[in-house]
Amino acid sequence: MSFLTAFVRSLPSIWDGIQITVLATLLGALLALVLSFVLGLAARSRHLLVRGLARAVVEFFRGTSLYVQLFWLFFALPILGFKLVPLACAVLAFGLNYGAYGSEVVRGALAAVPRAQWEATVALNMTPWQRMRKVILPQAWPQMIPPFNNLLIQLLKSTPLLSLITVSDITFQMDQLRSATGDTKAAYLVLLVIYFVLAYALTLCMNGLEALGKARLGQGRA
Amino acid sequence: MLTDNPARKTSVSPVSTAVTFDQVVKRYGDHTVLDHLDFEVRQGERVTLIGPSGSGKTTILRLLMTLERVTEGVIQVNGQPFSGLPEKQLRRARRHIGMVFQQFNLFPNMKVLDNITEAPVQVLGLSRDEAAERARDLLDLVGLADKADVHPTRLSGGQQQRVAIARALAMRPDILLLDEVTSALDPELVQGVLDVLRDIAQATDITMLCVTHEMGFARDISDRVLMFDGGRVIESGPPERMFSEPEHERTRDFLGAVL
């Protein structure tokens, strides 16, 4: 059987694999985004305890391997009596790991908003929450998009780890095709192309978001 | 007895005093910016602070706006002490004070109208319509009625500063702080901003504290000019006297250099 015939025949399972990969990427990114903001804002807190705790969480999840974190959630946690479905393990590991990196993006972008903007919000007697929501964040988030895009693509490219914890992602499906046909070159070439197309689609979305944010700040093309 | 003298009573009554600095010290590390500073500003009075760079003029405005904290001493606004209060009570004190900055500090994420309406809606609880009406009146006052829907980045410096004045006035402050509001402007744009401020000084009874190098403007609007040097007031008086016959040698030198 030629590779092409086998490829066409397994298109449905390849499509399933792509969906799993995209789902894990998006859910992981969503959790990472939430954690980025929680930890990034906490890192700027006035309270030493809050700041210290955020710092510790960030350093731990940044400083330990994603691979080991995932295996710990998948293999070690059940021994302690908590069993999560494999996809949940992956989303949790991706979220915690990339959230730790993302919090530095949030912290840096908030710090990059000029102090004069903060002073204007004080002069208008806004509460700390109003300052953040109405003035500081709207100016900070377009700055976050390019580094967030980097992290998002890295997260996508971390998802082949899914196939190591029994999830049938796109890497798993293409590996099946490779063993069935014996055509290693072709199978992995197709897999490379699939990841590239997915990554590029994400980049286009993020570029659109960035342009929107900058237009709102009056920085885009008129 | 002095305390029974009714004339004296009214002259120091807390109601008529907008701002009091009582032995205020501000230090950054070893550097003393304000050195046991005492002065008062009456309600409705227009006071201009002059003096060489680094004499602490801007620090006074920043302390009043609670952007900095005093090292020692007490500041009172409308008879209420407000140095060293926690954030919640600071917000109550700040309600009376507005500030216009050297660099305008408009919000680039909002159009001109929203720059002016956002705080009245969020902080004072006005409806969007009430706030917009107030904002349009103020834009009219500063001569920018046609710029409501423009991005602040598309305006000239002078126009941005006039929007910033409208934004501060939209909060209806009793006390307006003007921190070198024309220093960042091209020379041909200065006059428009000063004209707007002159109009406001004439049309309202708002208390003004003004740091400026525009001596003509200081002469026009001030009831009193305070000369600062080394973190203290070394001389004060009505502008006519200060500018024509200053007593202190430092004042003479300074005015000789800037006039």
Coordinates of all heavy atoms in Angstrom, one line a residue, chain B residues 23-66:
Chain B
Q23 N 5.4 72.9 59.0 CA 6.7 72.3 59.3 C 6.9 71.0 58.4 O 7.4 70.0 58.9 CB 6.8 71.9 60.8 CG 6.8 73.1 61.7 CD 8.1 73.8 61.6 OE1 9.2 73.3 61.9 NE2 8.1 75.1 61.2
V24 N 6.6 71.1 57.1 CA 6.7 70.0 56.2 C 8.2 69.8 55.8 O 8.8 70.7 55.3 CB 5.8 70.1 55.0 CG1 6.1 69.0 54.0 CG2 4.3 70.0 55.5
V25 N 8.6 68.5 56.0 CA 9.9 68.1 55.5 C 9.8 67.0 54.5 O 9.0 66.1 54.7 CB 10.8 67.6 56.7 CG1 12.2 67.1 56.2 CG2 11.0 68.7 57.8
K26 N 10.5 67.1 53.4 CA 10.6 66.0 52.4 C 12.0 65.7 52.1 O 12.7 66.6 51.7 CB 9.8 66.4 51.1 CG 9.8 65.3 50.1 CD 9.1 64.0 50.5 CE 9.3 62.9 49.4 NZ 8.7 61.7 49.9
R27 N 12.4 64.5 52.4 CA 13.8 64.1 52.1 C 13.8 62.9 51.1 O 12.9 62.0 51.2 CB 14.5 63.7 53.4 CG 15.0 64.8 54.2 CD 15.9 64.3 55.3 NE 15.8 65.2 56.4 CZ 15.1 65.0 57.5 NH1 14.5 63.8 57.6 NH2 14.9 65.8 58.5
Y28 N 14.7 62.9 50.2 CA 15.0 61.7 49.4 C 16.4 61.2 49.9 O 17.4 61.8 49.5 CB 15.0 61.9 47.9 CG 13.6 62.4 47.4 CD1 13.4 63.8 47.2 CD2 12.6 61.5 47.1 CE1 12.2 64.2 46.7 CE2 11.4 62.0 46.6 CZ 11.2 63.3 46.4 OH 10.0 63.7 46.0
G29 N 16.4 60.2 50.7 CA 17.7 59.8 51.2 C 18.3 60.9 52.0 O 17.7 61.4 53.0
D30 N 19.5 61.3 51.7 CA 20.2 62.4 52.4 C 19.8 63.8 51.9 O 20.1 64.8 52.5 CB 21.7 62.3 52.3 CG 22.2 61.1 53.1 OD1 21.5 60.6 53.9 OD2 23.4 60.6 52.8
H31 N 19.1 63.8 50.7 CA 18.8 65.0 50.1 C 17.5 65.6 50.6 O 16.5 65.0 50.5 CB 18.7 64.8 48.6 CG 18.4 66.1 47.8 ND1 19.2 67.2 47.9 CD2 17.5 66.4 46.9 CE1 18.7 68.1 47.1 NE2 17.7 67.7 46.5
T32 N 17.6 66.8 51.2 CA 16.4 67.5 51.8 C 15.8 68.4 50.7 O 16.5 69.4 50.3 CB 16.8 68.3 53.0 OG1 17.3 67.4 54.0 CG2 15.5 68.9 53.6
V33 N 14.6 68.1 50.3 CA 14.0 69.0 49.2 C 13.2 70.1 49.9 O 13.2 71.2 49.5 CB 13.1 68.1 48.3 CG1 12.5 69.0 47.2 CG2 13.9 67.0 47.7
L34 N 12.4 69.7 50.9 CA 11.6 70.7 51.6 C 12.1 70.7 53.1 O 12.1 69.7 53.7 CB 10.1 70.4 51.6 CG 9.5 70.4 50.2 CD1 8.0 70.0 50.2 CD2 9.7 71.7 49.4
D35 N 12.4 71.9 53.6 CA 13.0 72.0 54.9 C 12.1 72.8 55.9 O 12.2 74.0 55.9 CB 14.4 72.7 54.7 CG 15.2 72.8 56.0 OD1 14.8 72.1 56.9 OD2 16.2 73.5 56.0
H36 N 11.3 72.0 56.6 CA 10.4 72.7 57.6 C 9.6 73.8 57.0 O 9.7 74.9 57.4 CB 11.2 73.1 58.8 CG 11.8 71.9 59.6 ND1 13.1 71.5 59.3 CD2 11.3 71.1 60.5 CE1 13.3 70.4 60.1 NE2 12.2 70.2 60.8
L37 N 8.9 73.5 55.9 CA 8.2 74.5 55.2 C 6.8 74.8 55.8 O 6.1 73.9 56.2 CB 7.9 73.9 53.8 CG 7.2 74.7 52.8 CD1 8.0 76.0 52.4 CD2 6.9 73.9 51.5
D38 N 6.6 76.1 55.9 CA 5.3 76.6 56.4 C 4.7 77.5 55.4 O 5.3 78.4 55.0 CB 5.5 77.4 57.7 CG 5.7 76.6 58.9 OD1 5.0 75.6 59.1 OD2 6.7 76.9 59.7
F39 N 3.4 77.2 55.0 CA 2.7 78.3 54.3 C 1.2 77.9 54.2 O 0.8 76.8 54.5 CB 3.3 78.6 52.9 CG 3.0 77.5 51.8 CD1 1.9 77.6 51.0 CD2 3.8 76.4 51.7 CE1 1.6 76.7 50.0 CE2 3.6 75.5 50.7 CZ 2.5 75.6 49.9
E40 N 0.4 78.9 53.9 CA -1.0 78.7 53.9 C -1.6 79.3 52.5 O -1.0 80.3 52.0 CB -1.8 79.5 55.0 CG -1.7 78.7 56.3 CD -2.6 79.4 57.3 OE1 -3.4 80.4 56.9 OE2 -2.6 79.0 58.5
V41 N -2.6 78.7 52.0 CA -3.3 79.2 50.9 C -4.7 79.3 51.3 O -5.3 78.4 51.7 CB -3.1 78.3 49.6 CG1 -3.9 78.9 48.5 CG2 -1.6 78.2 49.3
R42 N -5.3 80.5 51.1 CA -6.7 80.7 51.4 C -7.6 80.2 50.3 O -7.2 80.0 49.1 CB -7.0 82.2 51.6 CG -6.4 82.9 52.7 CD -6.9 84.3 52.9 NE -6.9 85.1 51.7 CZ -5.9 85.7 51.2 NH1 -4.7 85.6 51.8 NH2 -6.0 86.3 50.0
Q43 N -8.8 79.9 50.6 CA -9.8 79.4 49.6 C -10.0 80.5 48.6 O -10.2 81.6 48.9 CB -11.1 79.0 50.2 CG -11.0 77.7 50.9 CD -12.3 77.2 51.6 OE1 -13.3 77.9 51.5 NE2 -12.2 76.1 52.2
G44 N -9.9 80.1 47.3 CA -10.1 81.0 46.2 C -8.8 81.8 45.8 O -8.8 82.5 44.9
E45 N -7.8 81.6 46.6 CA -6.6 82.4 46.3 C -5.8 81.7 45.2 O -5.8 80.5 45.0 CB -5.7 82.4 47.6 CG -4.6 83.4 47.5 CD -3.7 83.4 48.8 OE1 -3.8 82.5 49.6 OE2 -3.0 84.4 49.0
R46 N -5.1 82.6 44.4 CA -4.2 82.1 43.3 C -2.8 82.4 43.7 O -2.4 83.5 43.8 CB -4.5 82.8 42.0 CG -5.7 82.2 41.3 CD -7.0 82.5 42.1 NE -8.1 81.7 41.6 CZ -9.1 82.2 40.8 NH1 -9.0 83.4 40.4 NH2 -10.1 81.5 40.5
V47 N -2.1 81.3 43.9 CA -0.7 81.4 44.4 C 0.2 80.8 43.4 O 0.0 79.7 42.9 CB -0.5 80.7 45.7 CG1 0.9 80.6 46.2 CG2 -1.4 81.3 46.8
T48 N 1.3 81.6 43.0 CA 2.3 81.1 42.1 C 3.6 80.8 42.9 O 4.0 81.6 43.7 CB 2.5 82.1 41.0 OG1 1.3 82.4 40.3 CG2 3.5 81.5 40.0
L49 N 4.2 79.6 42.6 CA 5.4 79.3 43.3 C 6.5 79.5 42.2 O 6.5 78.9 41.1 CB 5.4 77.8 43.7 CG 4.1 77.3 44.4 CD1 4.2 75.8 44.7 CD2 3.9 78.1 45.7
I50 N 7.5 80.3 42.6 CA 8.6 80.5 41.7 C 9.9 80.2 42.4 O 9.9 80.1 43.6 CB 8.7 82.0 41.1 CG1 8.9 83.0 42.2 CG2 7.4 82.3 40.3 CD1 9.2 84.4 41.7
G51 N 10.9 80.0 41.6 CA 12.2 79.7 42.2 C 13.1 78.9 41.3 O 12.5 78.3 40.3
P52 N 14.3 78.7 41.6 CA 15.2 77.9 40.7 C 14.8 76.5 40.7 O 14.1 76.0 41.6 CB 16.6 78.1 41.3 CG 16.4 78.6 42.7 CD 15.1 79.3 42.7
S53 N 15.3 75.8 39.6 CA 15.0 74.3 39.5 C 15.6 73.6 40.7 O 16.6 74.0 41.2 CB 15.6 73.7 38.3 OG 15.3 74.5 37.1
G54 N 14.8 72.6 41.2 CA 15.3 71.9 42.4 C 15.0 72.5 43.7 O 15.5 72.1 44.7
S55 N 14.2 73.6 43.7 CA 14.0 74.3 44.9 C 12.7 73.7 45.6 O 12.4 74.1 46.7 CB 13.7 75.8 44.7 OG 12.7 76.0 43.8
G56 N 12.1 72.7 45.0 CA 11.1 72.0 45.7 C 9.7 72.4 45.4 O 8.7 71.9 46.0
K57 N 9.5 73.2 44.3 CA 8.2 73.7 44.0 C 7.3 72.6 43.5 O 6.1 72.4 44.0 CB 8.3 74.7 42.8 CG 9.2 75.9 43.1 CD 9.4 76.7 41.9 CE 9.8 75.9 40.7 NZ 11.1 76.0 40.1
T58 N 7.8 71.8 42.6 CA 7.0 70.7 42.1 C 6.7 69.6 43.2 O 5.6 69.1 43.2 CB 7.7 70.0 40.9 OG1 7.6 70.9 39.8 CG2 7.0 68.7 40.4
T59 N 7.6 69.4 44.1 CA 7.4 68.5 45.2 C 6.2 68.9 46.0 O 5.5 68.0 46.5 CB 8.7 68.4 46.0 OG1 9.8 68.1 45.2 CG2 8.5 67.4 47.1
I60 N 6.0 70.2 46.2 CA 4.9 70.7 47.0 C 3.6 70.2 46.3 O 2.7 69.7 47.0 CB 4.9 72.2 47.1 CG1 6.1 72.6 48.0 CG2 3.6 72.8 47.6 CD1 6.4 74.1 48.0
L61 N 3.5 70.4 45.0 CA 2.3 70.0 44.3 C 2.1 68.5 44.4 O 1.0 67.9 44.6 CB 2.3 70.4 42.8 CG 2.4 71.9 42.6 CD1 2.2 72.2 41.1 CD2 1.5 72.7 43.4
R62 N 3.2 67.7 44.2 CA 3.1 66.3 44.3 C 2.7 65.7 45.6 O 2.0 64.7 45.8 CB 4.4 65.6 43.8 CG 4.7 65.9 42.3 CD 6.1 65.4 41.9 NE 6.2 64.0 42.1 CZ 5.7 63.1 41.2 NH1 5.1 63.5 40.1 NH2 5.8 61.8 41.5
L63 N 3.2 66.4 46.7 CA 2.7 66.1 48.0 C 1.2 66.3 48.2 O 0.5 65.5 48.8 CB 3.5 66.9 49.1 CG 5.0 66.5 49.3 CD1 5.7 67.5 50.2 CD2 5.1 65.1 50.0
L64 N 0.8 67.4 47.7 CA -0.7 67.7 47.8 C -1.5 66.7 47.1 O -2.6 66.4 47.5 CB -0.9 69.1 47.3 CG -0.9 70.3 48.3 CD1 -0.9 71.6 47.6 CD2 -2.0 70.1 49.3
M65 N -1.0 66.3 45.9 CA -1.8 65.3 45.1 C -1.6 63.9 45.6 O -2.1 63.0 45.0 CB -1.3 65.4 43.7 CG -2.2 64.8 42.6 SD -3.8 65.7 42.5 CE -4.9 64.6 43.4
T66 N -0.8 63.7 46.7 CA -0.6 62.4 47.3 C 0.2 61.5 46.4 O 0.1 60.3 46.5 CB -1.9 61.7 47.8 OG1 -2.6 61.3 46.7 CG2 -2.7 62.6 48.7

